[in-house]
Amino acid sequence: MQRTEERAGEAEAADAGGAVEDDAAPGWLRFWPLLLLGAATVPGAVLYLGGRWLETPVMQAWRTICLAVTVQALPFLLLGTALSGAINAFVPARVFNRVLPRRPVLAVPVAGAAGVVLPGCECASVPVANRLIGRGVTPAAAFAFLLSAPAINPVVLTATAVAFPGNPAMVAARLLASLGTALAMGWLWLWLGRAEWLKPAVRRGGHRAGGSRWREFRAGFQHDFLHAGGFLVVGAMAAATFNVAVPRSVLDAFSGSPWLSVLFLAGLAIVLALCSEADAFVAASLTGFSPTARLAFMVVGPVVDMKLIALQAGTFGRAFAIRFSAATVVVAVLLSVLVGGALL
């Protein structure tokens, strides 16, 4: 009898516990009207407040700068990726072996000089250099072309002459300092470069027997453009952030010192990420700085900036981009000071 009563008591307790749990579970649902109201109003409030924040003058300026950098570079990115696709599909590998000297130390100046005749900006030169390496060109020569093409092509030199009227010395100084930077970095890679630093996203391309050259061209163009375009947007966003975050008074604080002005404008060129065809007009507007400092702005910008670092990291790897960009800045600043001191 006792066991029967104990079991009955346990059953009643269990039923009571279950009843408590059943009563407690619907308790969370008692607030469903508030939860439903929050689900309906909170996202709307976030969008409303976020929309108002995006319409502030600072964010409007940020959007304008980001869009301007992207749109400014996009035509040249299209040109460069189209050129890289054409190289992959239509140019036989033997052409590069004939044009470039077999000795890498001599191939560097030839590739650097080729930048004089190919208009484009840094966004265009990265996929072209990537494709050249894929076709068997020594990396040192490809990197010399990568740095010279956006800095000394006819469009850039003409824009510099227009931005600095009556000052041919500035055009000559830009040509010499930029070409010297490209050649020095090519030779420096031959001397100190290591294969493990370079992880190119190179597809051993070229025309395959029996395949359609136009199909290969479209495939290469699409791959390179989508790959480089994403990193271009990242660099443009970084440049826009700096533009709206640094006040004008900071610029004026550095213009008085010769050395600080050179270093400051070199750093400014990196973060502004201007297209090389337009940076001369910005440099000409910085009238408070010395001619040498403005020369450094125009020499450093086309070879190292935020979007170029992002493009290099995405194409050749972060290990390469960090080392190559840091060394390029040092070489470009030194040559700007030397050439500017002699000609300006």
Side-chain angles (χ1 to χ4, degrees):
M1 293 294 293
Q2 289 181 350
R3 291 181 178 179
T4 304
E5 292 176 356
E6 289 177 357
R7 291 177 180 177
E10 291 176 357
E12 292 177 358
D15 292 341
V20 171
E21 292 177 359
D22 291 342
D23 292 340
W28 294 99
L29 299 179
R30 294 175 183 175
F31 301 98
W32 71 265
L34 295 178
L35 295 176
L36 184 60
L37 180 63
T41 58
V42 171
V46 171
L47 291 175
Y48 175 73
L49 295 176
R52 295 189 63 183
W53 177 67
L54 291 175
E55 293 302 323
T56 59
V58 172
M59 290 307 301
Q60 288 179 350
W62 186 91
R63 291 203 309 269
T64 301
I65 296 171
C66 183
L67 183 61
V69 172
T70 303
V71 172
Q72 190 180 48
L74 192 58
F76 299 99
L77 180 61
L78 284 168
L79 173 64
T81 51
L83 182 58
S84 69
I87 290 173
N88 176 63
F90 299 109
V91 181
R94 62 178 180 272
V95 172
F96 303 107
N97 297 327
R98 293 177 180 177
V99 173
L100 294 176
R102 293 185 177 181
R103 296 183 60 184
V105 68
L106 298 178
V108 168
V110 174
V116 178
V117 297
L118 286 176
C121 73
E122 58 272 23
C123 303
S125 63
V126 172
V128 173
N130 181 39
R131 189 65 64 188
L132 289 175
I133 296 175
R135 301 308 303 276
V137 174
T138 176
F143 297 150
F145 174 81
L146 184 151
L147 298 179
S148 67
I152 62 173
N153 67 70
V155 178
V156 169
L157 297 179
T158 302
T160 306
V162 173
F164 292 89
N167 191 2
M170 182 63 78
V171 181
R174 181 172 193 177
L175 172 63
L176 293 177
S178 298
L179 181 59
T181 299
L183 301 185
M185 288 305 301
W187 286 321
L188 190 63
W189 178 263
L190 285 177
W191 180 31
L192 299 176
R194 298 180 181 178
E196 57 266 26
W197 294 348
L198 182 62
K199 298 179 181 180
V202 172
R203 302 182 309 282
R204 287 289 174 176
H207 175 62
R208 296 181 180 180
S212 171
R213 293 184 182 272
W214 284 105
R215 184 176 299 173
E216 293 169 359
F217 167 75
R218 290 196 303 269
F221 170 77
Q222 181 180 4
H223 175 275
D224 290 342
F225 179 75
L226 294 177
H227 187 263
F231 291 97
L232 168 62
V233 173
V234 173
M237 293 172 65
T241 301
F242 179 86
N243 271 273
V244 301
V246 178
R248 177 69 184 181
S249 58
V250 176
L251 300 178
D252 299 333
F254 286 90
S255 59
S257 173
W259 285 102
L260 286 179
S261 63
V262 169
L263 296 177
F264 181 77
L265 285 192
L268 185 64
I270 295 174
V271 296
L272 286 182
L274 297 173
C275 191
S276 58
E277 279 76 10
D279 61 357
F281 299 96
V282 178
S285 68
L286 301 173
T287 55
F289 292 87
S290 66
T292 300
R294 288 186 280 177
L295 174 64
F297 179 86
M298 293 186 293
V299 172
V300 172
V303 295
V304 182
D305 62 30
M306 297 297 292
K307 63 179 183 293
L308 181 57
I309 294 173
L311 286 168
Q312 289 180 357
T315 304
F316 301 112
R318 287 181 295 178
F320 166 83
I322 294 173
R323 292 177 173 87
F324 191 78
S325 298
T328 303
V329 171
V330 174
V331 172
V333 170
L334 289 178
L335 285 176
S336 298
V337 172
L338 292 175
V339 174
L343 297 182
L344 305 177

